[in-house]
Amino acid sequence: MRINLKQIFNIVGESKDIAYSISEDELSGIKGFSFAAPLNVKGRIYNRAGVVYLEYLAECTLAMECDRCLIPYDREYSFDFEHIVVPSINGDNDDYIVAEGESIELNDIAVTDLLLRLPTKNLCKEDCKGLCMVCGCDLNETQCNCLNN
């Protein structure tokens, strides 16, 4: 979703509400992630004292596989994000979002923010015991004697 910020940059106190979804089809090209529901984005962009802020909530449901026991499961995530948006910048600076041509592509920002915030280890539950290294049984479901011998 491309958002034009010209009016927000030029008028102190101006704001724009954001509420939309990025469909699973649009998100299907992200390698290593499977979205079970749309990515919902809700927030606002506003100019306070000449500084433009982007604040939003990103919510999604991912279809995952446990890294320990390989059981498939769905997990819901909800994260708040806040950025300062500038019309231009000299040099590299990751602290700000640069609005090229006075507009931003919010889909790219939301997906990048979300992927950077997701955990690197996916567990179906925090105390998942995983699989037996010898026989492969799910140690959450059964107890084997392989490691006791």
Side-chain angles (χ1 to χ4, degrees):
M1 172 178 214
R2 183 158 289 286
I3 300 175
N4 187 315
L5 301 176
K6 182 175 183 175
Q7 189 170 350
I8 294 173
F9 279 130
N10 293 327
I11 302 172
V12 174
E14 185 69 17
S15 69
K16 178 179 179 105
D17 290 330
I18 304 161
Y20 75 102
S21 297
I22 305 171
S23 72
E24 298 99 304
D25 289 341
E26 291 178 80
L27 299 166
S28 65
I30 301 172
K31 302 253 188 263
F33 296 93
S34 178
F35 288 80
L39 170 58
N40 297 309
V41 178
K42 184 176 183 179
R44 70 185 195 124
I45 301 172
Y46 60 95
N47 182 331
R48 185 174 64 207
V51 179
V52 175
Y53 295 91
L54 165 62
E55 295 177 351
Y56 68 95
L57 171 72
E59 298 176 315
C60 70
T61 302
L62 291 176
M64 308 175 103
E65 187 176 86
C66 181
D67 289 338
R68 289 187 186 157
C69 69
L70 306 178
I71 298 294
Y73 67 98
D74 287 353
R75 169 112 351 117
E76 293 179 3
Y77 291 98
S78 179
F79 298 113
D80 289 308
F81 298 100
E82 182 177 323
H83 297 285
I84 295 175
V85 183
V86 295
S88 65
I89 196 165
N90 294 331
D92 284 340
N93 192 327
D94 291 338
D95 295 335
Y96 305 108
I97 292 178
V98 179
E100 299 290 336
E102 296 184 325
S103 66
I104 57 173
E105 179 54 56
L106 194 52
N107 286 13
D108 294 343
I109 295 167
V111 169
T112 300
D113 282 346
L114 176 69
L115 294 178
L116 290 172
R117 185 78 64 90
L118 289 173
T120 55
K121 188 160 208 72
N122 301 315
L123 300 177
C124 60
K125 56 186 178 182
E126 201 165 309
D127 63 343
C128 178
K129 297 176 185 174
L131 303 175
C132 173
M133 294 183 294
V134 178
C135 70
C137 76
D138 184 347
L139 297 173
N140 296 306
E141 303 286 325
T142 61
Q143 193 65 25
C144 67
N145 291 321
C146 296
L147 299 177
N148 293 334
N149 293 331

